[in-house]
Amino acid sequence: MSVAVMSPAAAESRYEPLRVMVVDDSVVIRGLISRWIDAEPDMTVVGSLRTGLDAVNQVERISPDVAILDIEMPDLDGISALPQLLAKKRNLVVIMASTLTRRNAEISFKAMSLGAADYIPKPESTREISAADVFKHDLLQKIRSLGARVRRLKSVTSPSIAPATHAAPAAPAARPALAPVAAAVSSKVVTRPFSPSMPRALLIGSSTGGPQALMALVAEIGSVIDRVPVLITQHMPPTFTTILAEHLARASKRPAHEGIDGELVKPGTIYLAPGGKHMRAAKQGANIVIALDDGPPVNFCKPAVDPLFTSGIDVWQGGVLAVVLTGMGSDGMRGGKEVVAAGGNVIAQDEATSVVWGMPGAAANAGICSAILPLNQIGAKITRLFSGDRS
């Protein structure tokens, strides 16, 4: 199967800067975020506002592409402002921002169900340089990746000339645009045959858009969960992963929890990498156990998908099915290469159903995937593979 794709570099040159609205009651946070954004050539701050009410009242006038929306604000909080903002600007990309509390994590999950594109945890103190650096990196990447869907295409008078003085909003895209931060893209995506090896474990990696994708997927693969171990890495901070595990348990109607260092891995349970720790599978005598570590980030992520994927090779040899779902960046691609080299298989979510086609796009363009499928077809394919179908 071959799929034509557009080079991100070629597409990038056709876009004007993303218009970003920053909504936070802290003047320090607003100033910090605004300076970061305005220092980037492909984005600009068009509004720096103190309350959700200010945002609702001004969103049509300033017409942002992306809004960074604090949860806790006076007059009108973020979760109350969200539906009003989306009602006034249907294609607005909203990224919720909150500190890492259980309450705020729950609100962020609710916000995503109401139409927010993503969330970002704010550091307790921006005086901590390392915390501020991670926050800055993640924020700019999220703005860039998610905003790619709503960038304005400059009006074009000829194939080679694009005047910078006239820009019109693009029509609503039928599907998300390719993320500018995706790995280098080849002109064709080619799939490989499925390995004849019977999979004995299901390993899943996801990031931006992942929580909703994961909940939809686990609801469809109950018979697989009952038969083989299922381990998942979703790019998420602590507290958020605790809540995601609870959502996965409800969606799958099977036990799901954050992995615990040293616990036995067995069929019938979903193991989710806890925020802030890498999760691997490891051999312990005749048993397979969860191994957590506090090592440095991999691909700017902790937990990261690559460590999970590569750990499955020693434990299950060629019997690994790795699935890469929606997410920015390229995490999972290198681990997926090693899985395939060891005789396993990789499935990626397709671009049309991905919130960001970064991670699955990187895997697809590396030529390691045996299938690139819409989200609503992945569950059935996984079920067939674990039933012996290699087609």
Side-chain angles (χ1 to χ4, degrees):
M1 183 182 86
S2 296
V3 182
V5 295
M6 179 186 292
S7 162
E12 184 75 10
S13 64
R14 302 168 61 196
Y15 294 128
E16 70 174 17
L18 283 167
R19 299 168 59 84
V20 185
M21 177 173 71
V22 182
V23 190
D24 197 298
D25 63 336
S26 166
V27 65
V28 174
I29 293 292
R30 286 203 311 277
L32 189 67
I33 291 175
S34 296
R35 287 193 298 273
W36 290 341
I37 291 170
D38 281 334
E40 297 296 310
D42 58 343
M43 58 185 77
T44 185
V45 174
V46 293
S48 177
L49 307 172
R50 177 175 172 269
T51 74
L53 186 60
D54 292 338
V56 170
N57 289 338
Q58 298 193 45
V59 65
E60 291 172 303
R61 179 182 66 81
I62 64 179
S63 189
D65 300 312
V66 179
I68 311 302
L69 187 61
D70 188 23
I71 287 178
E72 296 176 325
M73 294 179 289
D75 298 336
L76 191 68
D77 62 26
I79 195 69
S80 302
L82 173 63
Q84 297 183 51
L85 290 170
L86 293 176
K88 289 193 171 188
K89 196 168 192 304
R90 184 170 62 91
N91 293 323
L92 179 65
V93 171
V94 179
I95 301 172
M96 306 302 294
S98 71
T99 51
L100 280 176
T101 66
R102 167 111 194 171
R103 174 179 175 274
N104 285 343
E106 289 279 16
I107 291 172
S108 296
F109 271 92
K110 181 180 179 183
M112 286 187 283
S113 72
L114 294 175
D118 206 354
Y119 62 90
I120 186 164
K122 294 193 294 187
E124 295 292 337
S125 171
T126 54
R127 289 190 297 259
E128 299 175 23
I129 299 300
S130 61
D133 285 347
V134 171
F135 179 47
K136 176 183 178 181
H137 175 271
D138 290 350
L139 177 67
L140 295 177
Q141 291 288 68
K142 286 176 187 289
I143 293 171
R144 189 167 284 123
S145 296
L146 293 165
R149 293 182 294 166
V150 293
R151 279 182 178 272
R152 292 166 177 76
L153 284 174
K154 295 178 180 179
S155 58
V156 178
T157 57
S158 75
S160 59
I161 301 174
T165 53
H166 302 288
R175 64 183 189 176
L178 186 65
V181 295
V185 181
S186 59
S187 60
K188 296 287 184 181
V189 174
V190 180
T191 57
R192 57 188 295 122
F194 278 100
S195 162
S197 300
M198 183 72 174
R200 294 187 287 135
L202 175 61
L203 309 183
I204 305 173
S206 53
S207 183
T208 310
Q212 297 92 325
L214 286 168
M215 285 185 275
L217 179 59
V218 300
E220 297 179 351
I221 59 169
S223 63
V224 173
I225 298 169
D226 291 339
R227 297 204 309 271
V228 301
V230 177
L231 287 72
I232 299 173
T233 291
Q234 159 72 36
H235 295 165
M236 263 187 167
T239 305
F240 280 76
T241 48
T242 304
I243 296 168
L244 176 58
E246 295 168 2
H247 283 267
L248 293 176
R250 287 195 289 271
S252 66
K253 299 181 173 58
R254 269 77 175 173
H257 63 260
E258 292 172 296
I260 301 167
D261 192 51
E263 75 170 309
L264 289 176
V265 172
K266 54 188 180 181
T269 297
I270 297 171
Y271 302 89
L272 179 68
K277 298 284 182 68
H278 296 305
M279 183 176 78
R280 296 173 169 85
K283 287 182 178 178
Q284 190 176 80
N287 297 319
I288 299 170
V289 300
I290 295 291
L292 302 181
D293 80 69
D294 199 21
V298 176
N299 303 315
F300 297 101
C301 301
K302 189 178 174 182
V305 178
D306 279 341
L308 173 64
F309 282 5
T310 56
S311 73
I313 296 169
D314 288 338
V315 173
W316 293 289
Q317 289 81 48
V320 171
L321 175 61
V323 177
V324 184
L325 299 179
T326 174
M328 63 185 186
S330 61
D331 193 19
M333 183 269 288
R334 291 179 183 83
K337 278 186 176 179
E338 295 188 35
V339 165
V340 169
N345 294 296
V346 175
I347 293 175
Q349 185 174 348
D350 74 350
E351 183 182 2
T353 62
S354 294
V355 173
V356 176
W357 207 55
M359 286 168 50
N365 285 294
I368 61 174
C369 297
S370 295
I372 303 164
L373 299 170
L375 179 63
N376 63 6
Q377 295 180 24
I378 294 177
K381 185 64 175 180
I382 290 171
T383 302
R384 291 197 299 273
L385 287 170
F386 280 94
S387 298
D389 184 346
R390 295 291 173 276
S391 59

XYZ file of all heavy atoms in Angstrom, residues 138-215:
551
model
N 7.390 21.915 25.728
C 6.116 21.230 25.491
C 5.051 22.184 24.967
O 4.285 21.846 24.055
C 5.621 20.569 26.784
C 6.469 19.387 27.192
O 7.324 18.961 26.387
O 6.288 18.876 28.310
N 5.006 23.395 25.529
C 3.994 24.365 25.110
C 4.169 24.754 23.650
O 3.209 24.724 22.860
C 4.073 25.608 26.001
C 3.115 26.743 25.639
C 1.680 26.316 25.899
C 3.438 28.000 26.424
N 5.388 25.102 23.259
C 5.622 25.523 21.880
C 5.365 24.392 20.892
O 4.820 24.605 19.805
C 7.051 26.053 21.730
C 7.366 27.334 22.524
C 8.837 27.708 22.353
C 6.465 28.485 22.102
N 5.733 23.174 21.277
C 5.481 22.025 20.398
C 3.984 21.772 20.228
O 3.520 21.454 19.131
C 6.170 20.775 20.948
C 7.693 20.826 20.875
C 8.208 20.676 19.463
O 8.012 21.549 18.621
N 8.876 19.582 19.182
N 3.244 21.900 21.311
C 1.789 21.694 21.232
C 1.129 22.770 20.382
O 0.258 22.473 19.545
C 1.177 21.665 22.640
C 1.464 20.388 23.420
C 0.904 20.472 24.828
C 1.339 19.276 25.682
N 0.685 18.033 25.292
N 1.522 24.024 20.574
C 0.965 25.101 19.754
C 1.250 24.842 18.284
O 0.377 24.931 17.424
C 1.556 26.462 20.181
C 1.096 26.847 21.587
C 1.152 27.559 19.180
C 1.809 28.058 22.162
N 2.484 24.494 17.987
C 2.906 24.296 16.598
C 2.190 23.085 15.969
O 1.678 23.174 14.844
C 4.427 24.105 16.571
C 5.050 24.105 15.210
C 6.561 24.230 15.323
N 7.000 25.582 15.648
C 7.743 25.891 16.705
N 8.129 24.955 17.557
N 8.103 27.143 16.911
N 2.148 21.992 16.689
C 1.560 20.765 16.134
C 0.052 20.885 15.971
O -0.504 20.578 14.918
C 1.880 19.572 17.039
O 3.262 19.340 17.079
N -0.614 21.334 17.033
C -2.071 21.424 16.983
C -2.528 22.571 16.101
O -3.553 22.485 15.422
C -2.626 21.581 18.399
C -2.432 20.356 19.289
C -2.660 20.701 20.755
C -3.355 19.221 18.862
N -1.763 23.652 16.095
C -2.127 24.782 15.260
C -1.965 24.517 13.784
O -2.523 25.239 12.955
N -1.220 23.480 13.436
C -1.034 23.150 12.024
C -2.358 22.893 11.326
O -2.489 23.104 10.120
C -0.125 21.927 11.887
N -3.352 22.472 12.088
C -4.658 22.168 11.483
C -5.401 23.413 11.040
O -6.285 23.358 10.208
C -5.520 21.392 12.479
C -5.006 20.004 12.787
C -5.941 19.283 13.731
N -5.980 19.911 15.048
C -6.907 19.647 15.951
N -7.876 18.814 15.664
N -6.866 20.222 17.125
N -5.089 24.551 11.641
C -5.886 25.748 11.359
C -5.064 26.904 10.805
O -5.542 28.022 10.715
C -6.605 26.209 12.653
C -7.647 25.212 13.073
C -5.617 26.455 13.786
N -3.815 26.640 10.449
C -2.996 27.706 9.860
C -3.679 28.276 8.614
O -4.328 27.557 7.852
C -1.631 27.150 9.453
C -0.630 27.033 10.597
C 0.674 26.514 10.009
N 1.703 26.418 11.021
C 2.520 27.417 11.338
N 2.393 28.581 10.726
N 3.437 27.267 12.250
N -3.495 29.548 8.426
C -4.038 30.178 7.222
C -3.106 29.936 6.046
O -1.910 30.172 6.139
C -4.177 31.674 7.450
C -5.234 32.033 8.453
C -5.061 33.472 8.870
N -6.114 33.832 9.788
C -6.135 33.456 11.066
N -5.155 32.723 11.557
N -7.136 33.812 11.855
N -3.663 29.490 4.959
C -2.886 29.387 3.725
C -2.872 30.750 3.059
O -3.913 31.378 2.880
C -3.520 28.356 2.780
C -3.296 26.883 3.132
C -4.091 26.017 2.189
C -1.829 26.544 3.065
N -1.682 31.238 2.720
C -1.599 32.512 2.022
C -2.221 32.375 0.625
O -2.093 31.353 -0.025
C -0.131 32.940 1.891
C 0.523 33.230 3.231
C 1.980 33.588 3.042
C 2.624 33.886 4.389
N 4.056 34.224 4.260
N -2.930 33.425 0.229
C -3.521 33.382 -1.108
C -2.405 33.325 -2.140
O -1.368 33.968 -1.999
C -4.401 34.614 -1.342
O -3.651 35.793 -1.187
N -2.617 32.546 -3.166
C -1.569 32.288 -4.154
C -2.028 32.785 -5.517
O -3.098 32.409 -5.989
C -1.253 30.775 -4.227
C -0.190 30.509 -5.284
C -0.790 30.272 -2.870
N -1.230 33.643 -6.122
C -1.587 34.152 -7.446
C -0.978 33.325 -8.565
O -1.421 33.383 -9.704
C -1.110 35.605 -7.601
O 0.291 35.668 -7.367
C -1.825 36.501 -6.598
N 0.076 32.572 -8.236
C 0.679 31.648 -9.193
C 1.315 30.535 -8.398
O 1.503 30.656 -7.197
C 1.742 32.360 -10.037
O 2.907 32.556 -9.272
N 1.651 29.400 -9.032
C 2.262 28.300 -8.287
C 3.518 28.686 -7.547
O 3.875 28.057 -6.574
C 2.557 27.265 -9.391
C 1.602 27.584 -10.486
C 1.441 29.074 -10.459
N 4.234 29.735 -7.984
C 5.519 30.057 -7.362
C 5.515 31.345 -6.562
O 6.505 31.694 -5.955
C 6.607 30.151 -8.438
O 6.265 31.148 -9.378
N 4.404 32.110 -6.598
C 4.375 33.394 -5.918
C 3.237 33.401 -4.904
O 2.089 33.142 -5.245
C 4.188 34.554 -6.920
C 5.324 34.559 -7.938
C 4.123 35.897 -6.195
C 5.128 35.577 -9.049
N 3.563 33.738 -3.670
C 2.556 33.805 -2.612
C 2.700 35.140 -1.902
O 3.549 35.306 -1.046
C 2.737 32.665 -1.609
N 1.900 36.169 -2.278
C 2.045 37.485 -1.664
C 1.830 37.427 -0.171
O 0.914 36.777 0.307
C 0.953 38.323 -2.354
C 0.524 37.536 -3.550
C 0.827 36.121 -3.265
N 2.672 38.153 0.569
C 2.584 38.143 2.026
C 1.570 39.128 2.553
O 1.277 39.155 3.732
C 3.955 38.466 2.618
N 1.010 39.974 1.667
C 0.144 41.044 2.154
C -1.320 40.654 2.217
O -2.126 41.380 2.763
C 0.288 42.270 1.241
O 0.059 41.878 -0.114
C 1.685 42.855 1.379
N -1.690 39.532 1.608
C -3.092 39.119 1.618
C -3.189 37.703 2.136
O -2.657 36.782 1.546
C -3.684 39.181 0.209
C -3.602 40.544 -0.397
N -4.382 41.600 0.016
C -2.799 41.039 -1.387
C -4.085 42.680 -0.687
N -3.129 42.359 -1.541
N -3.902 37.536 3.246
C -4.073 36.205 3.827
C -5.527 36.004 4.194
O -6.149 36.876 4.783
C -3.201 36.040 5.072
N -6.064 34.859 3.840
C -7.453 34.566 4.169
C -7.504 33.293 4.968
O -6.703 32.390 4.765
C -8.273 34.395 2.883
N -8.478 33.190 5.903
C -8.587 31.973 6.683
C -8.847 30.777 5.783
O -9.618 30.862 4.826
C -9.783 32.244 7.613
C -9.913 33.744 7.641
C -9.457 34.207 6.307
N -8.179 29.688 6.072
C -8.402 28.469 5.313
C -9.749 27.891 5.660
O -10.253 28.069 6.768
C -7.311 27.450 5.629
N -10.369 27.210 4.706
C -11.611 26.514 5.007
C -11.332 25.424 6.014
O -10.229 24.881 6.061
C -12.178 25.905 3.718
N -12.337 25.069 6.844
C -12.122 24.019 7.830
C -11.622 22.748 7.162
O -12.202 22.283 6.184
C -13.524 23.816 8.440
C -14.220 25.128 8.199
C -13.681 25.650 6.918
N -10.525 22.233 7.657
C -9.924 21.048 7.054
C -10.753 19.818 7.346
O -11.325 19.668 8.413
C -8.510 20.846 7.586
N -10.840 18.933 6.369
C -11.565 17.687 6.586
C -10.796 16.758 7.495
O -11.346 15.851 8.077
C -11.830 16.997 5.241
N -9.504 16.996 7.616
C -8.685 16.184 8.492
C -7.525 17.028 8.986
O -7.188 18.047 8.386
C -8.170 14.946 7.765
C -7.238 15.234 6.592
C -6.866 13.939 5.913
N -5.822 14.148 4.924
C -5.259 13.173 4.252
N -5.636 11.941 4.458
N -4.317 13.408 3.376
N -6.873 16.616 10.080
C -5.772 17.410 10.622
C -4.620 17.514 9.641
O -4.331 16.592 8.893
C -5.344 16.615 11.875
C -6.495 15.735 12.197
C -7.163 15.447 10.890
N -3.946 18.681 9.645
C -2.769 18.845 8.804
C -1.594 18.076 9.385
O -1.548 17.796 10.567
C -2.415 20.327 8.691
N -0.656 17.728 8.530
C 0.549 17.046 8.994
C 1.323 17.946 9.934
O 1.559 19.110 9.637
C 1.422 16.674 7.797
C 2.658 15.841 8.084
C 2.254 14.474 8.589
C 3.503 15.714 6.839
N 1.712 17.440 11.074
C 2.400 18.252 12.067
C 3.760 18.697 11.561
O 4.535 17.891 11.069
C 2.584 17.446 13.354
N 4.090 20.002 11.698
C 5.402 20.465 11.260
C 6.547 19.796 11.994
O 7.653 19.762 11.486
C 5.363 21.964 11.569
C 3.919 22.313 11.646
C 3.244 21.080 12.152
N 6.293 19.272 13.218
C 7.378 18.659 13.975
C 7.517 17.172 13.680
O 8.281 16.484 14.311
C 7.173 18.857 15.491
C 7.259 20.313 15.834
C 5.847 18.276 15.963
N 6.765 16.668 12.695
C 6.909 15.254 12.351
C 8.295 15.001 11.773
O 8.981 15.901 11.321
C 5.844 14.849 11.324
N 8.672 13.733 11.781
C 9.961 13.371 11.198
C 9.944 13.653 9.704
O 8.895 13.838 9.101
C 10.234 11.895 11.461
N 11.112 13.685 9.091
C 11.211 13.928 7.655
C 10.340 12.931 6.900
O 10.319 11.742 7.202
C 12.659 13.796 7.212
N 9.605 13.423 5.916
C 8.590 12.609 5.255
C 9.004 12.256 3.835
O 9.402 13.119 3.063
C 7.241 13.364 5.221
C 6.170 12.528 4.569
C 6.822 13.744 6.632
N 8.903 11.013 3.508
C 9.194 10.573 2.148
C 7.955 10.781 1.295
O 6.881 11.051 1.789
C 9.576 9.092 2.162
O 8.533 8.322 2.690
N 8.120 10.651 -0.029
C 6.992 10.915 -0.923
C 5.976 9.784 -0.907
O 4.827 9.980 -1.272
C 7.506 11.135 -2.344
O 8.205 9.980 -2.788
N 6.369 8.617 -0.484
C 5.453 7.476 -0.434
C 5.602 6.755 0.899
O 6.691 6.676 1.456
C 5.758 6.484 -1.564
C 5.550 7.049 -2.957
C 4.084 7.210 -3.311
C 3.911 7.688 -4.751
N 2.496 7.865 -5.107
N 4.492 6.231 1.372
C 4.516 5.398 2.562
C 4.228 3.968 2.125
O 3.205 3.703 1.502
C 3.468 5.854 3.598
C 3.410 4.884 4.760
C 3.791 7.261 4.092
N 5.124 3.061 2.431
C 4.999 1.675 1.981
C 4.882 0.760 3.198
O 5.651 0.888 4.153
C 6.221 1.253 1.131
C 6.085 -0.188 0.671
C 6.376 2.204 -0.053
N 3.912 -0.140 3.162
C 3.758 -1.098 4.256
C 4.487 -2.392 3.926
O 4.800 -2.675 2.778
C 2.275 -1.403 4.518
O 1.665 -1.884 3.308
C 1.536 -0.165 4.991
N 4.767 -3.175 4.963
C 5.478 -4.433 4.827
C 4.547 -5.574 5.223
O 3.571 -5.369 5.955
C 6.719 -4.416 5.709
C 6.424 -4.162 7.172
C 7.673 -3.961 8.012
N 8.488 -5.171 8.059
C 9.747 -5.232 7.662
N 10.354 -4.140 7.218
N 10.431 -6.350 7.716
N 4.814 -6.797 4.773
C 3.957 -7.920 5.165
C 4.036 -8.167 6.674
O 5.046 -7.883 7.316
C 4.551 -9.109 4.395
C 5.375 -8.504 3.314
C 5.879 -7.202 3.839
N 2.957 -8.697 7.229
C 2.977 -9.085 8.630
C 3.896 -10.279 8.828
O 3.960 -11.183 7.997
C 1.565 -9.444 9.116
C 0.738 -8.251 9.484
C -0.202 -7.746 8.591
C 0.885 -7.619 10.711
C -0.971 -6.646 8.917
C 0.132 -6.518 11.048
C -0.809 -6.023 10.155
N 4.618 -10.265 9.945
C 5.483 -11.389 10.302
C 4.619 -12.613 10.595
O 3.509 -12.493 11.113
C 6.294 -11.022 11.552
O 6.816 -12.176 12.158
N 5.130 -13.799 10.283
C 4.358 -15.014 10.605
C 4.324 -15.323 12.092
O 3.546 -16.160 12.541
C 5.100 -16.108 9.827
C 6.500 -15.596 9.686
C 6.369 -14.113 9.553
N 5.165 -14.639 12.882
C 5.208 -14.918 14.324
C 3.889 -14.556 14.995
O 3.305 -13.507 14.723
C 6.340 -14.124 14.993
O 7.587 -14.459 14.436
N 3.418 -15.413 15.866
C 2.189 -15.150 16.622
C 2.493 -14.140 17.723
O 3.392 -14.353 18.535
C 1.681 -16.454 17.244
C 0.369 -16.299 17.992
S -0.999 -16.040 16.853
C -2.385 -16.076 17.996
N 1.785 -13.010 17.764
C 2.058 -12.041 18.833
C 1.654 -12.587 20.196
O 0.637 -13.278 20.330
C 1.217 -10.828 18.429
C 0.145 -11.361 17.546
C 0.727 -12.544 16.854
N 2.461 -12.263 21.193
C 2.170 -12.726 22.558
C 1.992 -11.569 23.539
O 1.720 -11.793 24.718
C 3.299 -13.650 23.036
C 3.370 -14.954 22.228
C 4.376 -15.928 22.820
N 5.745 -15.496 22.581
C 6.707 -15.496 23.493
N 6.433 -15.867 24.733
N 7.933 -15.111 23.190
N 2.149 -10.357 23.036
C 1.932 -9.175 23.876
C 1.556 -8.007 22.986
O 1.985 -7.914 21.827
C 3.185 -8.849 24.673
N 0.746 -7.102 23.533
C 0.326 -5.895 22.819
C 0.913 -4.681 23.550
O 0.634 -4.460 24.733
C -1.199 -5.799 22.787
C -1.795 -4.526 22.186
C -1.386 -4.364 20.723
C -3.322 -4.543 22.310
N 1.751 -3.910 22.842
C 2.367 -2.716 23.399
C 1.877 -1.511 22.610
O 1.926 -1.516 21.378
C 3.895 -2.805 23.322
C 4.539 -4.089 23.870
C 6.066 -3.997 23.779
C 4.108 -4.353 25.307
N 1.410 -0.471 23.301
C 0.790 0.673 22.643
C 1.467 1.960 23.102
O 1.740 2.141 24.290
C -0.720 0.752 22.964
C -1.419 -0.560 22.600
C -1.372 1.926 22.229
C -2.875 -0.628 23.046
N 1.731 2.861 22.149
C 2.294 4.168 22.469
C 1.434 5.273 21.897
O 0.920 5.162 20.782
N 1.271 6.363 22.651
C 0.440 7.473 22.187
C 0.826 8.753 22.905
O 1.500 8.741 23.931
C -1.049 7.169 22.421
O -1.287 6.810 23.775
N 0.374 9.879 22.338
C 0.665 11.177 22.936
C -0.527 12.097 22.699
O -1.625 11.805 23.148
C 1.962 11.762 22.354
O 2.295 12.982 22.980
N -0.340 13.197 21.988
C -1.412 14.173 21.787
C -2.622 13.524 21.128
O -2.515 12.916 20.071
C -0.900 15.326 20.895
O 0.341 15.798 21.417
C -1.900 16.454 20.855
N -3.777 13.645 21.763
C -4.991 12.989 21.280
C -5.111 11.560 21.746
O -6.124 10.892 21.485
N -4.093 11.081 22.457
C -4.045 9.679 22.860
C -5.117 9.222 23.830
O -5.646 8.108 23.675
N -5.452 10.005 24.857
C -6.452 9.510 25.816
C -7.760 9.082 25.154
O -8.268 7.990 25.421
C -6.650 10.703 26.757
C -5.329 11.388 26.748
C -4.826 11.258 25.326
N -8.285 9.923 24.260
C -9.540 9.559 23.594
C -9.344 8.354 22.681
O -10.197 7.465 22.618
C -10.064 10.756 22.780
C -10.406 11.961 23.631
C -9.246 12.938 23.783
O -8.075 12.557 23.845
N -9.564 14.219 23.857
N -8.214 8.322 21.965
C -7.940 7.188 21.078
C -7.802 5.892 21.861
O -8.327 4.842 21.466
C -6.674 7.463 20.265
N -7.101 5.944 22.974
C -6.911 4.751 23.799
C -8.227 4.225 24.338
O -8.475 3.011 24.331
C -5.966 5.062 24.963
C -4.486 5.217 24.612
C -3.720 5.807 25.785
C -3.881 3.869 24.206
N -9.067 5.135 24.813
C -10.351 4.679 25.372
C -11.223 4.030 24.306
O -11.901 3.035 24.559
C -11.055 5.851 26.056
C -10.432 6.201 27.400
S -11.304 7.487 28.306
C -10.584 8.958 27.599
